[in-house]
Amino acid sequence: MLLLILTVFFCCGLCDSEDGDLGYSLNIGNSIDVFANYGDLSQVMQVLSADYEEESYEPMEPFREKNIRVFENVRSGATPGDTMVDMNIQLCETLEDLLQAYFQNFTIEGTDMPPKAFLGDWMENEIMRAFGIEYDMRPDNCCYVLVKLSKVKTSVKISDLNDARVKGYVQKAIDHLNISDSTEIRRFMKSYGTHYIDSYVTGNCIYQVFKYKRTGYNLLKSYIKYRERRRSNSDSLRFYFSSYFLKQVGDIKIASGNKTVETWARNNLKDSQYLFSRPSLLRLHYNPILASQLDGMLDNGALLSLNLKTLKPLFKDRYKAQKFTEIVENDMRLWEVNT
């Protein structure tokens, strides 16, 4: 009896939906309730290295969040990915800058802080561990450098919503929605979502964080600016990643959580400087053979980019659309403060 009651409760909001409209994989144009897992979206979207010790690896789906089809005739286009990995180096003054840099390809309409949606419920030591850095409770004046190599498998984006029709059961709910009742709007959001998937990119990325002393960070920053300004071909980048400038070298991580690749990286990307030897992604910059080997190992197990837009297009009535958007954005700001 208890199981029956729970099942009826779960399905009541979607009782009029058609078979196949409810899913847990990436479906362009489908809607999700951002607040259902706000602060911990990284548990239902594969964006960071999994936090476990076992060497075995079970392939993960890049996206496992509940989503529902609210539009018909959504037109979209898919683009195949790159044939090789692409290296990117991001300079980050603070931990907050590091998170913004990592999630720079993730956008959620209504907020300027997507990392909050993915990691807002995490403790700082848990965040540090996901980025391969040891947690230190003592305050310091350190900066971070994020080295990231990405391989895109597929890019999908909505090309046009003009001809898209709202699903019948969703339109029926909209017609009966009292837009002046915020409680009723939030009930609608739980049943039919807050945002729809406008675009996404899947693939994989391998990343490493270097924790810098402030003086070393400033020297690296000046060197990169000089090299870009002069368009110099000389490459002394490795020198600025030496132990003399660094406070800590983070572990190499892979977004899909593939421990086999992480183990390969630890064993094959060791960089020896002076008396020290440690894994470094910079070896891939100087060794095309290793870069080619890694390229063949990167699967399609991670979400590299996601663009979520509010469900404003559902509403033909401009007033209803405005009120719905206001509730969503106000709730976003409240969640940002409280996570």
Side-chain angles (χ1 to χ4, degrees):
M1 177 63 71
L2 178 61
L3 178 61
L4 176 61
I5 293 172
L6 290 175
T7 303
V8 171
F9 177 77
F10 175 76
C11 296
C12 65
L14 305 174
C15 58
D16 295 326
S17 62
E18 299 173 3
D19 291 341
D21 282 353
L22 182 64
Y24 290 85
S25 58
L26 270 171
N27 295 290
I28 196 71
N30 276 22
S31 69
I32 70 168
D33 177 9
V34 167
F35 302 124
N37 285 292
Y38 190 94
D40 204 14
L41 282 176
S42 53
Q43 294 300 314
V44 290
M45 301 181 193
Q46 195 62 41
V47 294
L48 284 168
S49 177
D51 185 23
Y52 54 79
E53 299 299 327
E54 295 83 1
E55 292 297 323
S56 60
Y57 169 66
E58 293 290 336
M60 299 291 289
E61 287 292 327
F63 187 94
R64 305 177 298 279
E65 175 66 299
K66 184 177 74 173
N67 59 90
I68 181 172
R69 188 181 178 205
V70 292
F71 295 109
E72 290 182 310
N73 300 330
V74 173
R75 295 168 58 187
S76 64
T79 306
D82 304 325
T83 56
M84 289 293 288
V85 293
D86 178 44
M87 177 179 278
N88 184 259
I89 297 177
Q90 295 277 346
L91 305 182
C92 312
E93 299 274 343
T94 64
L95 176 60
E96 183 177 336
D97 290 341
L98 172 62
L99 299 182
Q100 289 284 5
Y102 190 86
F103 287 97
Q104 65 179 349
N105 295 322
F106 292 78
T107 59
I108 304 174
E109 190 174 12
T111 180
D112 295 324
M113 296 185 285
K116 282 271 191 176
F118 287 89
L119 301 174
D121 286 346
W122 289 35
M123 303 293 289
E124 189 170 324
N125 63 320
E126 294 175 322
I127 294 174
M128 289 293 199
R129 189 162 60 245
F131 282 96
I133 295 291
E134 294 178 7
Y135 177 64
D136 189 350
M137 293 181 62
R138 297 169 298 180
D140 55 32
N141 190 32
C142 294
C143 304
Y144 304 89
V145 173
L146 173 65
V147 179
K148 189 176 177 184
L149 289 92
S150 302
K151 182 179 181 179
V152 173
K153 179 68 175 180
T154 306
S155 301
V156 181
K157 180 175 176 53
I158 288 179
S159 54
D160 189 7
L161 267 184
N162 291 332
D163 296 329
R165 297 189 305 273
V166 178
K167 295 286 289 187
Y169 57 88
V170 181
Q171 188 60 59
K172 182 179 178 181
I174 292 173
D175 293 340
H176 290 87
L177 180 63
N178 181 2
I179 205 67
S180 301
D181 187 342
S182 59
T183 301
E184 194 171 324
I185 293 175
R186 291 187 176 94
R187 192 180 301 123
F188 177 92
M189 287 156 52
K190 287 183 179 180
S191 294
Y192 302 105
T194 58
H195 293 71
Y196 68 91
I197 301 171
D198 180 64
S199 67
Y200 66 83
V201 176
T202 61
N204 217 332
C205 76
I206 191 167
Y207 60 95
Q208 186 176 25
V209 175
F210 297 81
K211 190 175 181 180
Y212 271 78
K213 304 168 187 175
R214 174 68 64 170
T215 52
Y217 175 85
N218 289 336
L219 286 171
L220 172 63
K221 190 175 180 180
S222 298
Y223 166 73
I224 290 178
K225 285 184 177 180
Y226 171 81
R227 193 173 70 164
E228 290 176 349
R229 186 170 62 249
R230 295 295 182 92
R231 296 182 180 178
S232 172
N233 292 325
S234 64
D235 199 342
S236 304
L237 190 62
R238 185 167 172 263
F239 169 73
Y240 293 94
F241 280 79
S242 64
S243 300
Y244 180 76
F245 301 111
L246 291 167
K247 179 94 172 183
Q248 188 182 149
V249 177
D251 296 330
I252 295 176
K253 297 285 188 177
I254 186 164
S256 67
N258 191 326
K259 297 302 177 183
T260 301
V261 179
E262 289 184 1
T263 301
W264 177 89
R266 284 196 299 270
N267 295 334
N268 291 276
L269 300 182
K270 290 181 179 178
D271 186 31
S272 299
Q273 292 191 41
Y274 308 111
L275 301 177
F276 300 95
S277 178
R278 68 284 172 98
S280 173
L281 286 183
L282 284 183
R283 282 216 65 195
L284 298 168
H285 181 62
Y286 301 102
N287 192 321
I289 295 177
L290 287 174
S292 179
Q293 290 177 2
L294 173 66
D295 179 75
M297 299 174 71
L298 293 179
D299 56 14
N300 191 36
L303 189 62
L304 302 181
S305 175
L306 181 68
N307 182 24
L308 300 176
K309 291 188 175 181
T310 60
L311 285 173
K312 187 177 180 179
L314 279 181
F315 302 89
K316 298 176 182 178
D317 185 292
R318 293 180 62 183
Y319 178 71
K320 280 190 175 183
Q322 180 183 348
K323 293 298 292 184
F324 177 84
T325 304
E326 284 179 3
I327 292 289
V328 171
E329 293 182 351
N330 286 338
D331 284 3
M332 291 281 283
R333 284 189 282 271
L334 288 172
W335 278 87
E336 287 171 2
V337 172
N338 293 311
T339 53

